[in-house]
Amino acid sequence: MTNAEVSDKLMNDFNSANWEGWKSSVADDAKFNDVATGQKPEGADECTAYAQTWKTIYPDMKLSLIHISEPTRPERIGDTVVWVKKKKGGGGGGG
């Protein structure tokens, strides 16, 4: 799967609260960096718990990708993805 395909799967699994499917798409050495909250979960377990927490707090939250950016430096290709996402639901605020 390409990074874009994995990203789409993660968004769909988040939206349907399919945590087994979600976690199966997250690498064991994955790192998230939530710029808005400062949270930086690491590893499949922490990243899954992070996503589950958002869905528990805001069960009507739905995510969709607006843009996926991948690095062009050869040493970073394939292991880094930057998401620009849109959030619907979740009690206000922007995405």
Side-chain angles (χ1 to χ4, degrees):
M1 284 184 129
T2 66
N3 284 334
E5 290 168 333
V6 170
S7 298
D8 281 337
K9 183 178 180 321
L10 285 169
M11 293 296 139
N12 289 331
D13 286 339
F14 177 90
N15 291 340
S16 64
N18 176 7
W19 303 120
E20 188 174 310
W22 200 93
K23 186 176 178 181
S24 74
S25 298
V26 178
D28 290 335
D29 62 349
K31 295 179 183 178
F32 278 26
N33 182 5
D34 186 330
V35 177
T37 67
Q39 294 175 291
K40 296 181 180 182
E42 294 188 19
D45 290 335
E46 276 188 29
C47 291
T48 301
Y50 164 82
Q52 286 175 306
T53 298
W54 280 106
K55 194 68 167 175
T56 299
I57 294 169
Y58 303 113
D60 64 333
M61 181 186 285
K62 301 286 185 192
L63 302 177
S64 58
L65 289 173
I66 297 171
H67 178 75
I68 300 172
S69 177
E70 298 192 52
T72 56
R73 292 190 342 233
E75 68 273 15
R76 301 299 296 169
I77 290 175
D79 69 351
T80 302
V81 177
V82 177
W83 290 344
V84 177
K85 62 181 175 27
K86 182 178 178 182
K87 172 181 73 93
K88 243 183 162 177

Coordinates of all heavy atoms in Angstrom, one line a residue:
M1 N 0.8 -1.2 0.0 CA 0.0 0.0 0.0 C 0.9 1.3 0.0 O 1.9 1.3 0.7 CB -0.9 0.1 1.3 CG -2.0 -0.9 1.3 SD -3.0 -0.5 2.8 CE -4.6 -0.3 2.1
T2 N 0.4 2.3 -0.7 CA 1.1 3.5 -0.7 C 0.8 4.3 0.6 O -0.2 3.9 1.3 CB 0.7 4.4 -1.9 OG1 -0.7 4.8 -1.7 CG2 0.9 3.7 -3.2
N3 N 1.6 5.3 1.0 CA 1.2 6.1 2.1 C -0.1 6.7 2.0 O -0.9 6.8 3.0 CB 2.3 7.2 2.3 CG 3.6 6.6 2.9 OD1 3.6 5.6 3.6 ND2 4.7 7.3 2.7
A4 N -0.5 7.1 0.8 CA -1.9 7.7 0.6 C -2.9 6.7 0.9 O -4.0 7.0 1.5 CB -2.0 8.3 -0.8
E5 N -2.8 5.5 0.4 CA -3.8 4.4 0.7 C -3.9 4.1 2.1 O -5.0 3.9 2.7 CB -3.4 3.2 -0.2 CG -3.6 3.4 -1.6 CD -3.0 2.2 -2.5 OE1 -2.0 1.6 -2.0 OE2 -3.5 2.0 -3.6
V6 N -2.7 4.0 2.8 CA -2.7 3.7 4.3 C -3.4 4.9 5.0 O -4.2 4.6 5.9 CB -1.3 3.5 4.8 CG1 -1.3 3.5 6.3 CG2 -0.7 2.3 4.2
S7 N -3.1 6.1 4.6 CA -3.8 7.3 5.2 C -5.3 7.2 5.1 O -6.0 7.5 6.0 CB -3.2 8.6 4.6 OG -1.8 8.6 4.9
D8 N -5.7 6.9 3.9 CA -7.2 6.8 3.6 C -7.8 5.7 4.5 O -8.9 5.9 5.1 CB -7.5 6.5 2.1 CG -7.4 7.7 1.3 OD1 -7.5 8.8 1.8 OD2 -7.2 7.5 0.1
K9 N -7.1 4.6 4.6 CA -7.6 3.5 5.4 C -7.7 3.9 6.9 O -8.7 3.6 7.6 CB -6.7 2.2 5.3 CG -7.2 1.0 6.1 CD -6.4 -0.2 5.9 CE -6.8 -1.4 6.6 NZ -7.3 -1.2 8.0
L10 N -6.7 4.6 7.4 CA -6.7 5.1 8.8 C -7.9 6.0 9.0 O -8.5 5.9 10.0 CB -5.4 5.8 9.1 CG -4.2 4.9 9.3 CD1 -2.9 5.7 9.3 CD2 -4.3 4.0 10.6
M11 N -8.1 6.9 8.1 CA -9.3 7.8 8.3 C -10.6 7.1 8.3 O -11.4 7.3 9.1 CB -9.3 8.9 7.2 CG -8.2 9.8 7.2 SD -8.1 10.9 8.6 CE -6.4 10.9 9.0
N12 N -10.7 6.1 7.4 CA -12.0 5.3 7.3 C -12.1 4.5 8.6 O -13.2 4.4 9.1 CB -12.0 4.4 6.1 CG -12.2 5.2 4.8 OD1 -12.8 6.3 4.8 ND2 -11.6 4.7 3.7
D13 N -11.0 3.9 9.0 CA -11.1 3.0 10.2 C -11.4 3.9 11.5 O -12.1 3.5 12.4 CB -9.8 2.2 10.4 CG -9.7 1.1 9.5 OD1 -10.8 0.6 8.9 OD2 -8.6 0.6 9.2
F14 N -10.8 5.1 11.5 CA -11.1 6.0 12.6 C -12.6 6.4 12.6 O -13.3 6.3 13.6 CB -10.3 7.3 12.5 CG -10.6 8.3 13.6 CD1 -9.9 8.3 14.8 CD2 -11.6 9.3 13.4 CE1 -10.2 9.2 15.8 CE2 -11.9 10.2 14.4 CZ -11.2 10.2 15.6
N15 N -13.1 6.7 11.4 CA -14.5 7.2 11.3 C -15.5 6.1 11.8 O -16.6 6.4 12.3 CB -14.8 7.7 9.9 CG -14.1 9.0 9.6 OD1 -13.7 9.7 10.5 ND2 -13.9 9.3 8.4
S16 N -15.2 4.8 11.5 CA -16.0 3.7 11.9 C -15.6 3.1 13.2 O -16.2 2.1 13.6 CB -16.1 2.7 10.8 OG -14.8 2.1 10.6
A17 N -14.6 3.6 13.9 CA -14.1 3.1 15.2 C -13.7 1.7 15.0 O -13.9 0.9 15.9 CB -15.2 3.3 16.3
N18 N -13.1 1.3 13.9 CA -12.5 0.0 13.7 C -11.1 0.0 14.2 O -10.1 0.2 13.4 CB -12.6 -0.3 12.2 CG -11.9 -1.7 11.9 OD1 -11.5 -2.4 12.7 ND2 -11.8 -2.0 10.6
W19 N -10.9 -0.2 15.5 CA -9.6 -0.1 16.1 C -8.6 -1.2 15.7 O -7.4 -1.0 15.6 CB -9.7 0.1 17.6 CG -10.6 1.3 17.9 CD1 -11.7 1.3 18.6 CD2 -10.4 2.6 17.4 NE1 -12.3 2.5 18.6 CE2 -11.5 3.4 17.9 CE3 -9.4 3.3 16.7 CZ2 -11.6 4.8 17.6 CZ3 -9.5 4.6 16.4 CH2 -10.6 5.4 16.9
E20 N -9.2 -2.4 15.5 CA -8.3 -3.5 15.1 C -7.7 -3.2 13.7 O -6.5 -3.3 13.4 CB -9.1 -4.8 15.0 CG -8.2 -6.0 14.8 CD -9.0 -7.3 14.9 OE1 -9.8 -7.5 15.9 OE2 -9.0 -8.1 14.0
G21 N -8.6 -2.7 12.8 CA -8.1 -2.3 11.4 C -7.2 -1.2 11.5 O -6.2 -1.1 10.8
W22 N -7.5 -0.2 12.3 CA -6.7 1.0 12.4 C -5.3 0.6 12.9 O -4.3 1.0 12.3 CB -7.3 2.0 13.4 CG -6.9 3.4 13.3 CD1 -7.5 4.4 12.6 CD2 -5.8 4.0 14.0 NE1 -6.8 5.5 12.8 CE2 -5.7 5.3 13.6 CE3 -4.8 3.5 14.8 CZ2 -4.8 6.2 14.0 CZ3 -3.8 4.4 15.3 CH2 -3.8 5.7 14.9
K23 N -5.2 -0.2 14.0 CA -3.9 -0.5 14.5 C -3.1 -1.4 13.5 O -1.9 -1.3 13.5 CB -4.1 -1.3 15.8 CG -2.8 -1.6 16.5 CD -3.0 -2.2 17.9 CE -1.6 -2.5 18.5 NZ -1.8 -3.2 19.8
S24 N -3.8 -2.2 12.7 CA -3.1 -3.0 11.7 C -2.4 -2.2 10.7 O -1.5 -2.7 10.0 CB -4.0 -4.0 11.1 OG -4.9 -3.4 10.2
S25 N -2.8 -0.9 10.5 CA -2.1 -0.1 9.5 C -1.0 0.8 10.1 O -0.4 1.6 9.4 CB -3.2 0.9 8.9 OG -4.2 0.1 8.2
V26 N -0.8 0.7 11.4 CA 0.1 1.6 12.1 C 1.4 0.8 12.4 O 1.3 -0.3 13.0 CB -0.4 2.2 13.4 CG1 0.6 3.0 14.1 CG2 -1.7 3.0 13.1
A27 N 2.5 1.3 11.9 CA 3.8 0.6 12.2 C 4.1 0.6 13.7 O 3.8 1.5 14.4 CB 4.9 1.2 11.4
D28 N 4.9 -0.5 14.1 CA 5.3 -0.6 15.5 C 6.1 0.6 15.9 O 6.1 1.0 17.1 CB 6.0 -1.9 15.8 CG 5.1 -3.1 15.7 OD1 3.9 -2.9 15.9 OD2 5.6 -4.2 15.4
D29 N 6.8 1.2 15.0 CA 7.7 2.3 15.4 C 7.1 3.7 14.9 O 7.8 4.7 14.8 CB 9.1 2.2 14.8 CG 9.1 2.1 13.3 OD1 8.0 2.0 12.6 OD2 10.2 2.1 12.7
A30 N 5.8 3.7 14.7 CA 5.1 4.9 14.2 C 5.2 6.0 15.3 O 5.3 5.8 16.5 CB 3.7 4.7 14.0
K31 N 5.3 7.3 14.8 CA 5.3 8.5 15.7 C 4.3 9.4 15.1 O 4.3 9.7 13.9 CB 6.7 9.1 15.7 CG 7.7 8.2 16.3 CD 9.1 9.0 16.3 CE 10.1 8.0 16.8 NZ 11.5 8.7 16.7
F32 N 3.4 9.9 16.0 CA 2.5 11.0 15.6 C 2.9 12.3 16.3 O 3.5 12.2 17.4 CB 1.0 10.7 16.1 CG 0.3 9.7 15.2 CD1 0.9 8.8 14.4 CD2 -1.1 9.8 15.3 CE1 0.1 8.0 13.6 CE2 -1.9 8.9 14.5 CZ -1.3 8.0 13.7
N33 N 2.7 13.4 15.6 CA 3.0 14.7 16.2 C 1.7 15.5 16.0 O 1.5 16.1 14.9 CB 4.2 15.3 15.6 CG 4.6 16.6 16.2 OD1 4.0 17.0 17.2 ND2 5.5 17.3 15.6
D34 N 0.9 15.7 17.0 CA -0.3 16.5 16.9 C 0.1 17.9 17.3 O 0.3 18.3 18.4 CB -1.3 16.0 17.9 CG -2.7 16.7 17.8 OD1 -2.7 17.9 17.4 OD2 -3.7 16.1 18.1
V35 N 0.3 18.7 16.3 CA 0.8 20.1 16.4 C -0.2 20.9 17.3 O 0.3 21.7 18.1 CB 1.1 20.7 15.1 CG1 1.5 22.2 15.2 CG2 2.1 19.9 14.3
A36 N -1.4 20.7 17.1 CA -2.4 21.5 17.8 C -2.4 21.2 19.3 O -2.6 22.2 20.1 CB -3.8 21.2 17.3
T37 N -2.2 20.0 19.8 CA -2.3 19.7 21.2 C -0.9 19.4 21.8 O -0.8 19.4 23.0 CB -3.1 18.4 21.4 OG1 -2.4 17.3 20.9 CG2 -4.5 18.6 20.9
G38 N 0.1 19.2 21.0 CA 1.4 18.9 21.5 C 1.6 17.5 21.9 O 2.7 17.1 22.3
Q39 N 0.6 16.7 21.7 CA 0.8 15.2 21.9 C 1.6 14.6 20.9 O 1.6 14.9 19.7 CB -0.6 14.6 22.0 CG -1.5 15.0 23.1 CD -2.8 14.4 23.1 OE1 -3.6 14.7 22.2 NE2 -3.1 13.5 24.0
K40 N 2.5 13.6 21.4 CA 3.4 12.9 20.5 C 3.4 11.4 20.8 O 4.4 10.9 21.3 CB 4.8 13.5 20.5 CG 4.9 14.9 20.1 CD 6.3 15.5 20.2 CE 6.3 16.9 19.7 NZ 7.7 17.5 19.7
P41 N 2.3 10.7 20.5 CA 2.3 9.3 20.8 C 3.3 8.5 19.9 O 3.5 8.9 18.8 CB 0.9 8.8 20.6 CG 0.3 9.9 19.6 CD 1.1 11.2 20.0
E42 N 3.9 7.5 20.5 CA 4.9 6.7 19.7 C 4.5 5.2 19.8 O 4.1 4.7 20.9 CB 6.3 6.9 20.2 CG 6.8 8.3 20.0 CD 8.3 8.5 20.4 OE1 9.0 7.4 20.5 OE2 8.7 9.6 20.6
G43 N 4.6 4.5 18.7 CA 4.3 3.1 18.6 C 2.9 2.8 18.3 O 2.0 3.7 18.6
A44 N 2.6 1.6 17.8 CA 1.2 1.3 17.4 C 0.2 1.4 18.6 O -0.9 1.9 18.4 CB 1.2 -0.1 16.8
D45 N 0.6 0.9 19.8 CA -0.3 0.9 20.9 C -0.6 2.3 21.3 O -1.8 2.7 21.5 CB 0.3 0.1 22.1 CG 0.3 -1.4 21.8 OD1 -0.5 -1.9 21.0 OD2 1.2 -2.0 22.5
E46 N 0.4 3.2 21.5 CA 0.1 4.6 21.9 C -0.7 5.3 20.9 O -1.6 6.1 21.2 CB 1.4 5.3 22.2 CG 2.0 5.1 23.6 CD 3.2 6.0 23.9 OE1 3.3 7.1 23.3 OE2 4.1 5.6 24.6
C47 N -0.3 5.1 19.6 CA -1.0 5.9 18.5 C -2.5 5.4 18.4 O -3.4 6.3 18.2 CB -0.3 5.6 17.2 SG 1.3 6.4 17.1
T48 N -2.7 4.2 18.7 CA -4.1 3.7 18.6 C -4.9 4.2 19.8 O -6.0 4.7 19.7 CB -4.1 2.1 18.6 OG1 -3.4 1.7 17.5 CG2 -5.6 1.6 18.6
A49 N -4.3 4.2 21.0 CA -4.9 4.8 22.2 C -5.2 6.2 22.0 O -6.3 6.7 22.4 CB -4.1 4.5 23.4
Y50 N -4.3 7.0 21.4 CA -4.5 8.4 21.1 C -5.7 8.6 20.2 O -6.6 9.4 20.5 CB -3.2 8.9 20.4 CG -3.4 10.2 19.7 CD1 -3.3 11.4 20.4 CD2 -3.6 10.3 18.3 CE1 -3.4 12.6 19.8 CE2 -3.8 11.5 17.7 CZ -3.7 12.7 18.4 OH -3.8 13.9 17.8
A51 N -5.8 7.8 19.2 CA -7.0 7.9 18.3 C -8.3 7.5 19.0 O -9.3 8.2 18.8 CB -6.8 7.1 17.0
Q52 N -8.2 6.5 19.8 CA -9.4 6.0 20.5 C -9.9 7.1 21.5 O -11.1 7.3 21.7 CB -9.1 4.7 21.2 CG -9.0 3.5 20.3 CD -8.6 2.3 21.1 OE1 -7.6 2.3 21.8 NE2 -9.4 1.2 21.0
T53 N -9.0 7.8 22.1 CA -9.3 8.8 23.1 C -10.1 9.9 22.4 O -11.2 10.3 22.9 CB -8.1 9.4 23.7 OG1 -7.4 8.4 24.4 CG2 -8.4 10.6 24.6
W54 N -9.7 10.4 21.2 CA -10.4 11.4 20.5 C -11.8 10.9 20.1 O -12.8 11.6 20.3 CB -9.7 11.8 19.2 CG -8.6 12.8 19.5 CD1 -7.2 12.5 19.4 CD2 -8.7 14.1 19.8 NE1 -6.5 13.6 19.8 CE2 -7.4 14.7 20.0 CE3 -9.8 15.0 20.0 CZ2 -7.2 16.0 20.3 CZ3 -9.5 16.3 20.3 CH2 -8.2 16.8 20.5
K55 N -11.9 9.7 19.7 CA -13.2 9.1 19.2 C -14.2 8.9 20.5 O -15.4 9.1 20.4 CB -13.1 7.8 18.5 CG -14.3 7.4 17.7 CD -14.6 8.3 16.6 CE -15.6 7.7 15.7 NZ -16.1 8.6 14.6
T56 N -13.6 8.6 21.6 CA -14.4 8.4 22.8 C -14.9 9.8 23.3 O -16.1 9.9 23.7 CB -13.5 7.8 23.9 OG1 -13.1 6.5 23.5 CG2 -14.3 7.6 25.2
I57 N -14.1 10.8 23.3 CA -14.5 12.1 23.7 C -15.5 12.7 22.7 O -16.5 13.3 23.2 CB -13.3 13.1 23.8 CG1 -12.3 12.6 24.9 CG2 -13.7 14.5 24.1 CD1 -11.0 13.3 25.0
Y58 N -15.3 12.5 21.4 CA -16.2 13.1 20.4 C -16.6 11.9 19.5 O -16.1 11.8 18.4 CB -15.4 14.1 19.6 CG -14.9 15.3 20.4 CD1 -13.5 15.4 20.5 CD2 -15.7 16.2 21.0 CE1 -13.0 16.5 21.3 CE2 -15.2 17.2 21.8 CZ -13.8 17.4 21.9 OH -13.3 18.4 22.6
P59 N -17.6 11.2 19.9 CA -18.0 10.0 19.1 C -18.6 10.3 17.7 O -18.5 9.5 16.8 CB -19.1 9.3 19.9 CG -19.5 10.3 21.0 CD -18.4 11.3 21.1
D60 N -19.0 11.6 17.5 CA -19.5 11.9 16.2 C -18.4 12.5 15.3 O -18.7 12.9 14.1 CB -20.6 12.9 16.3 CG -20.2 14.3 16.9 OD1 -19.2 14.3 17.7 OD2 -20.8 15.3 16.6
M61 N -17.2 12.5 15.7 CA -16.1 13.1 14.9 C -15.8 12.2 13.7 O -15.8 11.0 13.8 CB -14.8 13.2 15.8 CG -13.6 13.8 15.0 SD -12.1 13.7 16.0 CE -12.4 15.1 17.1
K62 N -15.7 12.9 12.6 CA -15.3 12.2 11.3 C -14.2 13.0 10.7 O -14.2 14.2 10.7 CB -16.5 12.3 10.3 CG -17.7 11.6 10.8 CD -17.6 10.1 10.8 CE -18.9 9.4 11.2 NZ -18.8 8.1 11.4
L63 N -13.2 12.3 10.2 CA -12.0 12.9 9.6 C -12.0 12.6 8.1 O -12.4 11.6 7.7 CB -10.7 12.3 10.3 CG -10.6 12.5 11.8 CD1 -9.3 11.8 12.2 CD2 -10.5 13.9 12.2
S64 N -11.5 13.6 7.4 CA -11.2 13.3 6.0 C -9.9 14.1 5.6 O -9.6 15.1 6.2 CB -12.4 13.9 5.1 OG -12.6 15.2 5.4
L65 N -9.2 13.5 4.7 CA -7.9 14.1 4.3 C -8.1 15.1 3.3 O -8.9 14.9 2.3 CB -7.0 13.0 3.8 CG -6.4 12.0 4.8 CD1 -5.6 10.9 4.1 CD2 -5.5 12.7 5.8
I66 N -7.5 16.2 3.4 CA -7.5 17.3 2.5 C -6.2 17.2 1.6 O -6.3 17.4 0.4 CB -7.6 18.7 3.1 CG1 -8.9 18.8 3.9 CG2 -7.4 19.8 2.1 CD1 -8.9 20.0 4.8
H67 N -5.1 16.9 2.2 CA -3.8 16.9 1.5 C -2.9 15.9 2.3 O -2.9 15.9 3.5 CB -3.2 18.3 1.4 CG -1.9 18.3 0.8 ND1 -1.8 18.2 -0.6 CD2 -0.7 18.5 1.3 CE1 -0.5 18.3 -0.9 NE2 0.2 18.5 0.3
I68 N -2.1 15.2 1.5 CA -1.0 14.4 2.1 C 0.3 14.9 1.5 O 0.4 15.0 0.3 CB -1.2 12.9 1.8 CG1 -2.5 12.4 2.3 CG2 -0.1 12.1 2.3 CD1 -2.9 11.0 1.9
S69 N 1.2 15.2 2.3 CA 2.5 15.6 1.8 C 3.6 14.6 2.2 O 3.6 14.2 3.4 CB 2.8 17.0 2.5 OG 4.1 17.4 2.1
E70 N 4.4 14.2 1.3 CA 5.5 13.3 1.6 C 6.8 14.0 1.3 O 6.9 14.8 0.4 CB 5.4 12.0 0.8 CG 4.1 11.3 1.1 CD 4.1 9.9 0.5 OE1 5.0 9.1 0.8 OE2 3.1 9.5 -0.1
P71 N 7.9 13.7 2.1 CA 9.1 14.4 1.9 C 9.8 14.0 0.6 O 9.5 13.0 0.0 CB 10.0 14.0 3.1 CG 9.4 12.7 3.5 CD 7.9 12.7 3.1
T72 N 10.7 14.9 0.1 CA 11.4 14.6 -1.1 C 12.9 14.3 -0.9 O 13.6 13.8 -1.8 CB 11.4 15.8 -2.1 OG1 11.9 17.0 -1.4 CG2 9.9 16.1 -2.5
R73 N 13.3 14.5 0.4 CA 14.7 14.1 0.7 C 14.8 12.6 0.7 O 14.0 11.9 1.3 CB 15.1 14.6 2.1 CG 15.3 16.1 2.1 CD 15.9 16.7 3.4 NE 15.9 15.7 4.5 CZ 15.5 16.0 5.7 NH1 14.9 17.2 6.0 NH2 15.6 15.1 6.7
P74 N 15.8 12.0 -0.1 CA 15.9 10.6 -0.2 C 15.9 9.8 1.1 O 15.3 8.7 1.2 CB 17.2 10.4 -1.0 CG 17.4 11.7 -1.7 CD 16.8 12.7 -0.8
E75 N 16.5 10.3 2.1 CA 16.6 9.6 3.4 C 15.3 9.6 4.2 O 15.1 8.8 5.1 CB 17.7 10.2 4.3 CG 17.5 11.6 4.8 CD 17.9 12.7 3.9 OE1 18.2 12.5 2.7 OE2 18.0 13.8 4.4
R76 N 14.3 10.4 3.8 CA 13.0 10.4 4.5 C 11.9 9.8 3.6 O 10.8 9.6 4.2 CB 12.7 11.8 4.9 CG 13.7 12.5 5.7 CD 13.9 11.9 7.1 NE 12.6 11.9 7.8 CZ 12.4 11.2 8.9 NH1 13.3 10.4 9.4 NH2 11.3 11.3 9.6
I77 N 12.1 9.5 2.4 CA 11.0 9.0 1.5 C 10.5 7.7 2.0 O 11.3 6.8 2.4 CB 11.5 8.9 0.1 CG1 11.7 10.3 -0.5 CG2 10.5 8.1 -0.8 CD1 12.3 10.3 -1.9
G78 N 9.2 7.6 2.1 CA 8.6 6.3 2.5 C 8.3 6.2 4.0 O 7.6 5.3 4.4
D79 N 8.9 7.0 4.8 CA 8.7 6.8 6.3 C 8.1 8.1 7.0 O 7.9 8.1 8.2 CB 9.9 6.4 7.0 CG 11.0 7.4 7.1 OD1 10.9 8.5 6.4 OD2 12.0 7.2 7.8
T80 N 7.8 9.1 6.2 CA 7.2 10.3 6.8 C 6.0 10.8 6.0 O 6.1 10.9 4.8 CB 8.3 11.4 6.9 OG1 9.4 11.0 7.6 CG2 7.7 12.7 7.5
V81 N 4.9 11.1 6.6 CA 3.8 11.6 6.0 C 3.2 12.8 6.8 O 3.1 12.7 8.0 CB 2.7 10.5 5.8 CG1 1.4 11.1 5.2 CG2 3.2 9.4 5.0
V82 N 2.9 13.9 6.2 CA 2.2 15.0 6.8 C 0.8 15.1 6.3 O 0.6 15.1 5.1 CB 3.0 16.3 6.5 CG1 2.2 17.5 7.2 CG2 4.4 16.2 7.0
W83 N -0.2 15.0 7.3 CA -1.6 15.1 6.9 C -2.1 16.5 7.1 O -1.8 17.1 8.1 CB -2.4 14.2 7.8 CG -2.3 12.7 7.6 CD1 -1.7 12.1 6.6 CD2 -2.7 11.8 8.5 NE1 -1.8 10.7 6.8 CE2 -2.4 10.5 8.0 CE3 -3.4 11.8 9.8 CZ2 -2.7 9.3 8.6 CZ3 -3.7 10.6 10.4 CH2 -3.3 9.4 9.8
V84 N -2.9 17.0 6.2 CA -3.8 18.1 6.5 C -5.2 17.5 6.4 O -5.6 16.9 5.4 CB -3.6 19.2 5.4 CG1 -4.6 20.3 5.7 CG2 -2.2 19.7 5.4
K85 N -5.9 17.5 7.5 CA -7.2 16.9 7.6 C -8.3 17.8 8.0 O -8.0 18.9 8.5 CB -7.1 15.7 8.6 CG -6.8 16.2 10.0 CD -6.7 15.0 11.0 CE -6.3 15.3 12.4 NZ -6.6 16.6 12.9
K86 N -9.5 17.4 7.7 CA -10.7 18.2 8.1 C -11.4 17.3 9.1 O -11.6 16.1 8.9 CB -11.5 18.4 6.8 CG -12.7 19.2 7.0 CD -13.4 19.5 5.8 CE -14.7 20.2 6.0 NZ -15.4 20.4 4.7
K87 N -11.9 18.0 10.1 CA -12.7 17.4 11.2 C -14.1 17.8 11.1 O -14.4 19.0 11.0 CB -12.0 17.7 12.5 CG -12.8 17.2 13.7 CD -12.2 17.7 15.0 CE -12.2 19.1 15.3 NZ -13.3 19.6 16.1
K88 N -15.0 16.9 11.2 CA -16.5 17.2 11.3 C -17.0 16.6 12.6 O -16.6 15.5 13.0 CB -17.2 16.5 10.2 CG -17.9 17.4 9.2 CD -18.6 16.6 8.2 CE -19.6 17.5 7.5 NZ -20.3 16.8 6.5
G89 N -17.8 17.4 13.3 CA -18.3 16.9 14.6 C -17.3 17.2 15.7 O -16.3 17.9 15.5
G90 N -17.5 16.6 16.8 CA -16.5 16.8 17.9 C -16.6 18.0 18.7 O -15.7 18.5 19.3
G91 N -17.8 18.7 18.7 CA -18.0 19.8 19.6 C -17.3 21.1 19.2 O -16.9 21.8 20.1
G92 N -17.2 21.4 18.0 CA -16.7 22.7 17.6 C -15.2 22.7 17.3 O -14.5 21.8 17.5
G93 N -14.7 23.9 17.0 CA -13.3 24.0 16.6 C -13.1 23.6 15.2 O -13.9 23.0 14.5
G94 N -11.9 24.0 14.7 CA -11.5 23.7 13.4 C -10.6 22.5 13.3 O -10.2 22.0 14.3
G95 N -10.4 22.0 12.1 CA -9.6 20.8 11.9 C -8.3 21.0 11.4 O -7.5 20.2 11.2

